[in-house]
DNA sequence: TTGTAAGCGTTATCAA
DNA sequence: TTGATAACGCTTACAA
C-alpha cells in the first residue's frame, strides 16, 4: 500500500526514454512521434502514474494558486462571492487558497505572508482591513472587491447608481418622505456611493429626505434593537406621511419588515421598503422585498478576468510594467418585489 | 523590483554558514549557538528573506494542505461549516484548498485528482456524491461530514436524537397530530436518522403521526409551491386538530411559516412549527422559529481533530496501519423559540 | 554545533 | 525528434 510514487524517472526507465521526453509528452506532446506518444501513454497506465505538481512548481515557478482573503462567510454576500470565484476554476484552472480574516490587520498580514510563501500568483481581497497601498507593495497582482482600491485593481458595484435606483423606485411609489438608513461608512469605501446617489436623486427631484447614519450594531440582536428604535423615531416624526425607507442591506430591511409585520400583521400602506444586495432573505422574507441587486457572478468573473490577465502578463519573458490599476464598475439591478408599489 | 528571491544559499554566503545551518535555524534553532542564531536573524533582515515553502514541500513531502470538497456555499449550513473549518488554521496550521463540487461525480473526481497532484495531506468531504469506498481507496486520510461514511472516518450530528427532540417538543406543545415533512433521504445518509428518531418517539408515546416524504424541489420557488400544497393537504386532513409540524430544515420551516402568516396575519394557535439546523433564517424569521440546532463549530473542530491525528500518524517513521474509520457523533441542541409553546 | 552531499520531481537549456 | 545535465529551494542522512 505504501508503494513509492511513480515518477518521470520510472516512466523513463520503463520506456527507455529520457525524463525530458516524458516531460515533453505532457507539455508539448506534438514534438513526439505518435508512436512514442502511445508508448508513453501505455506506460502511464501500466505504472499507474499520478502527476505531482510540486516538482513542476519548483522547476517552473508557476503554482496556479490564487489567494483569497475574505472577511467572513456568514454574510451571504461573501459566501456567494466566494462560491462564484471558486467556480472560475473551470475557466482558468487556478486553485484557491482561502482565508477568512477576522478583520484584524495583523492576522490578515500573517495570512498574506503565508500565501506568499506558497508562491501564489495573485490575490483577491474582499476584506477592507489592509490599505490598498500596502497590498500593492507585495508585488503580486491583486484585485479588490468592494473595498478601498486606490492603489490596486478592483471590481465594484456601481453603488451610486444603486442609490439612484432605490430613491427612484421610492419616488415612483409616491412616498412623501424618503429615508435612507445606513452605518457610518468611510468615504473611501465604494458603498458610500449609495448615500450620494440617494441624496443627489432626492435633491434633483426636490423630494424631502432624511439620512439616518448610525452604527446598527454587530449582532442580529443589536441590529433588531437599533432598528426598532429607528423605526419608532421615524413613526413619531412622520406620522401621517407615506414613508419610503431604503435600508443598507437585505438583512436589515428584513428586520424592519418583520417588526412592522409583527406590529400590524401586514405591511402598512404608508410604508415602502427597499433593501440592497438581492440576498436570499429578500426573496424568502414574509413579504418578498424589493432590493437593489448586486451582480455577484459578474463581479466574480470580472475580478478573475482582470487578475488572470495580470498574472499571465507576469509570466511572459519580458513582462510589461505593471501599469495603472484597473477599476471595473458593475451596474446593479433593481428588483421590484412586494414591499414597493 | 524584479529582484531575484533570496534563498538559503544567499543567506549562507552572507553569513559564511552552510545551507544546512540556515535550514536548522528555522527547524531546530536550539541546535545553534545563540550568537549564531542572532547572526542569521540579522542576515534575514538585511537580505529581506521571504520563506519559500515550495522547496520545503518538495524536500520534505509535507504540504500542510488539506482539500475540501463542499457541495455549495449558498446553503448556510455549508458556508458556516467551511468558515469554521477554515478557522482551525489558527490551531493546526493546515491550509485549505477549496472546491465547490456541483454534485457531479466526474467533476468532483477531477477535483480530487487535482488535490492529490498537490500532495494534500488529507481531505474533508461534505459532498455526498462520491461513495466512501472510493474515497477510502485514494489512500489519503479522509473525514466526511454528514454523508455516507461506511469506509471513511466521519463526524455527524446525532440526527436520531434530533428527531427525538423535535417530536418531544411538539408533544409537550400538546399537539394532536405530529407531522414530519422531508425529502426522500437515502437510508445511508446520516440525516435519515431524523425520521427514525421522530417515528420512534411518536410510537413510544402513542402519538398520532404522519410522515410526508416527498421531494420538495430544487429552487426556492419550487419549494414554496410544493410546501403550499403540503400545507393545504395538512389543513384539509386535520381541520380541527392542533398540528405539530417538523420541517426538514429552517429554510423550509420559514417558507411554511410565511405562508401561514400571509394567510392569517399571525401563526394560528393550531400550528406548532419546528425546523432543523439553527441557521440564521430561524432567528431572523417574522416569528423566530424553534429548531434543532446543529453544533457546526463543534463538528468542524472534531473533523479537523480526527483528520489531523490521522495526518500526523502518517508522518511518523513507522506509521501505524490506518485502522478502522472513526465515527464521531455530535448531539444537536434543541432551541425553543416562538413557533412552539 | 556545524558542514557535505545527495536527494525530492519536475522543467529549461543546450546539444545532438 | 530526443537526450544529458543543470537548475528550482529546501531537508536529511551522515560526517566531522
Amino acid at each position: 500500500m505504501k508503494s513509492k510514487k511513480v515518477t518521470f524517472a520510472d516512466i523513463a526507465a520503463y520506456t527507455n526514454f529520457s525524463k525530458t521526453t516524458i516531460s515533453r509528452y505532457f507539455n508539448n506532446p506534438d514534438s513526439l512521434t505518435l508512436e512514442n506518444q502511445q508508448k508513453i501513454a501505455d506506460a502511464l497506465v501500466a505504472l499507474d502514474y499520478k502527476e505531482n505538481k510540486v516538482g513542476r512548481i519548483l522547476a517552473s515557478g508557476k503554482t496556479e494558486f490564487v489567494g483569497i482573503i475574505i472577511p467572513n462567510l456568514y454574510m451571504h454576500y461573501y459566501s456567494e462571492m466566494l462560491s462564484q470565484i471558486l467556480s472560475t476554476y473551470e475557466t482558468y484552472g487556478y486553485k484557491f487558497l482561502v482565508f477568512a480574516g477576522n478583520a484584524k490587520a495583523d492576522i490578515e498580514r500573517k495570512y498574506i505572508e503565508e500565501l506568499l510563501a506558497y508562491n501564489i500568483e495573485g490575490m483577491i481581497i474582499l476584506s477592507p482591513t489592509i490599505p490598498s497601498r500596502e497590498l500593492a507593495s507585495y508585488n503580486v497582482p491583486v484585485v479588490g472587491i468592494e473595498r478601498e482600491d486606490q492603489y490596486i485593481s478592483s471590481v465594484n458595484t456601481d453603488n451610486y447608481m444603486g442609490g439612484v435606483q432605490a430613491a427612484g423606485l421610492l419616488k415612483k411609489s409616491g412616498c412623501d418622505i424618503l429615508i435612507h438608513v445606513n452605518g457610518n461608512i468611510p468615504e473611501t469605501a465604494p458603498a458610500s456611493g449609495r448615500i450620494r446617489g440617494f441624496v443627489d436623486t432626492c435633491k434633483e427631484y426636490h423630494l424631502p429626505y432624511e439620512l439616518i447614519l448610525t452604527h446598527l450594531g454587530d449582532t442580529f440582536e443589536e441590529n433588531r434593537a437599533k432598528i426598532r428604535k429607528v423605526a419608532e423615531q421615524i413613526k413619531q416624526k412622520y406620522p401621517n406621511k407615506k414613508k419610503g425607507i431604503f435600508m443598507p442591506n437585505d438583512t436589515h430591511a428584513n428586520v424592519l419588515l418583520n417588526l412592522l409585520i409583527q406590529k400590524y400583521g401586514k405591511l402598512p400602506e404608508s410604508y415602502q421598503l427597499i433593501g440592497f444586495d438581492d440576498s436570499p432573505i429578500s426573496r424568502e422574507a414574509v413579504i418578498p422585498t424589493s432590493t437593489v441587486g448586486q451582480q455577484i457572478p459578474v463581479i466574480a468573473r470580472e475580478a478573475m478576468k482582470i487578475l488572470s490577465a495580470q498574472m499571465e502578463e507576469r509570466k511572459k519573458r519580458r513582462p510589461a510594467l505593471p501599469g495603472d490599476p484597473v477599476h471595473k464598475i458593475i451596474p446593479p439591478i433593481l428588483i421590484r418585489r412586494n414591499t414597493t408599489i
Side-chain angles (χ1 to χ4, degrees), chain A:
Chain A
M1 286 296 112
K2 268 268 96 172
S3 55
K4 278 251 163 302
K5 298 230 173 104
V6 177
T7 73
F8 281 14
D10 300 318
I11 308 170
Y14 185 92
T15 56
N16 291 320
F17 287 112
S18 67
K19 289 196 294 177
T20 311
T21 301
I22 309 304
S23 173
R24 273 198 273 266
Y25 170 82
F26 286 100
N27 298 305
N28 189 13
D30 293 345
S31 69
L32 308 192
T33 61
L34 277 179
E35 191 190 342
N36 288 343
Q37 288 186 38
Q38 191 55 52
K39 272 190 198 164
I40 296 178
D42 292 344
L44 295 182
V45 175
L47 299 175
D48 189 27
Y49 172 74
K50 308 282 187 203
E51 70 176 323
N52 179 334
K53 295 218 177 183
V54 178
R56 165 211 271 268
I57 292 172
L58 183 59
S60 71
K62 310 284 162 271
T63 57
E64 298 180 347
F65 283 147
V66 166
I68 298 182
I69 308 240
I70 198 163
N72 62 62
L73 289 173
Y74 58 78
M75 287 170 73
H76 171 265
Y77 174 78
Y78 290 124
S79 58
E80 182 62 18
M81 190 67 79
L82 177 59
S83 173
Q84 295 295 335
I85 294 172
L86 294 182
S87 76
T88 65
Y89 170 75
E90 298 297 330
T91 311
Y92 297 103
Y94 287 101
K95 269 70 58 183
F96 296 98
L97 275 165
V98 184
F99 283 103
N102 326 33
K104 299 197 188 111
D106 284 349
I107 291 186
E108 294 196 3
R109 270 189 200 99
K110 205 180 68 187
Y111 292 166
I112 293 179
E113 292 293 324
E114 181 93 19
L115 289 171
L116 261 21
Y118 281 100
N119 290 0
I120 54 164
E121 298 188 36
M123 278 195 284
I124 296 184
I125 309 277
L126 290 101
S127 165
T129 316
I130 298 188
S132 67
R133 172 155 215 156
E134 182 179 339
L135 293 173
S137 75
Y138 287 114
N139 276 320
V140 167
V142 178
V143 174
I145 295 179
E146 284 287 324
R147 50 151 293 141
E148 175 269 309
D149 58 1
Q150 192 174 359
Y151 299 94
I152 58 176
S153 292
S154 68
V155 183
N156 297 311
T157 288
D158 188 340
N159 282 275
Y160 185 91
M161 182 182 291
V164 171
Q165 289 177 334
L169 180 57
L170 295 177
K171 170 177 177 289
K172 263 195 215 144
S173 300
C175 295
D176 304 317
I177 169 81
L178 303 204
I179 299 163
H180 179 33
V181 180
N182 214 327
N184 296 306
I185 304 175
E187 271 292 317
T188 52
S192 68
R194 295 176 204 173
I195 301 175
R196 291 193 295 277
F198 177 85
V199 169
D200 285 0
T201 305
C202 292
K203 284 185 178 161
E204 183 180 348
Y205 295 105
H206 306 291
L207 301 167
Y209 72 91
E210 176 174 354
L211 289 180
I212 302 181
L213 302 180
T214 171
H215 180 59
L216 293 172
D218 295 319
T219 68
F220 181 71
E221 282 66 24
E222 285 176 28
N223 291 167
R224 182 156 48 193
K226 191 78 191 191
I227 290 172
R228 195 190 299 273
K229 274 190 198 152
V230 169
E232 192 55 35
Q233 172 186 335
I234 291 174
K235 185 187 158 202
Q236 301 293 338
K237 193 158 174 189
Y238 307 104
N240 298 313
K241 305 249 181 177
K242 181 160 182 182
K243 298 164 274 286
I245 307 179
F246 174 30
M247 296 296 284
N249 62 50
D250 290 328
T251 299
H252 291 149
N254 180 60
V255 169
L256 177 56
L257 175 66
N258 285 347
L259 289 171
L260 293 171
I261 300 272
Q262 283 156 17
K263 190 160 183 177
Y264 302 107
K266 58 171 187 142
L267 182 65
E269 291 184 4
S270 58
Y271 284 90
Q272 302 280 301
L273 225 57
I274 180 165
F276 206 99
D277 285 347
D278 190 28
S279 41
I281 187 70
S282 69
R283 180 185 302 256
E284 298 173 10
V286 223
I287 301 182
T289 305
S290 295
T291 186
V292 177
Q294 301 212 50
Q295 301 196 64
I296 295 180
V298 178
I299 294 172
R301 226 179 297 135
E302 286 297 328
M304 268 310 287
K305 191 167 156 190
I306 293 171
L307 190 66
S308 97
Q310 295 185 6
M311 293 186 298
E312 292 305 322
E313 183 61 36
R314 282 186 128 228
K315 290 182 194 171
K316 291 188 188 157
R317 352 211 64 200
R318 166 85 187 74
L321 288 181
D324 289 333
V326 180
H327 300 290
K328 180 96 188 180
I329 303 292
I330 309 298
I333 292 185
L334 186 63
I335 296 172
R336 299 173 65 166
R337 297 211 182 90
N338 307 340
T339 56
T340 54
I341 284 176

